[in-house]
Amino acid sequence: MNRTPEKDPEDWTTGDEPMTGPQESYLHTLAQEAGEEVPGELTKVEASQLIDRLQQKTGRGS
């Protein structure tokens, strides 16, 4: 049984807040590996979605 089910980022109650420090740090790591730039001023939801996309591109999300 999964005790921490994943919630769709679109359903987060704090999703419109600025991305967290750890999200920003990880995004920069992923973006560097993927050869992409991280847009500034992302929300938590936007950062999470970009992390998911970059993880797939870099193979880190496997």
Side-chain angles (χ1 to χ4, degrees):
M1 178 176 199
N2 187 358
R3 294 179 184 254
T4 56
E6 283 195 36
K7 203 174 189 183
D8 185 333
E10 294 294 332
D11 295 332
W12 294 355
T13 56
T14 61
D16 59 347
E17 293 178 1
M19 72 176 142
T20 65
Q23 280 181 311
E24 185 175 13
S25 177
Y26 188 45
L27 267 176
H28 284 284
T29 299
L30 288 171
Q32 184 177 19
E33 289 180 13
E36 295 192 20
E37 294 287 323
V38 177
E41 306 298 321
L42 294 175
T43 65
K44 287 180 181 178
V45 167
E46 293 167 334
S48 178
Q49 292 168 338
L50 183 54
I51 286 169
D52 289 345
R53 185 177 68 76
L54 291 175
Q55 281 180 324
Q56 287 181 344
K57 185 174 181 178
T58 62
R60 277 187 172 241
S62 308

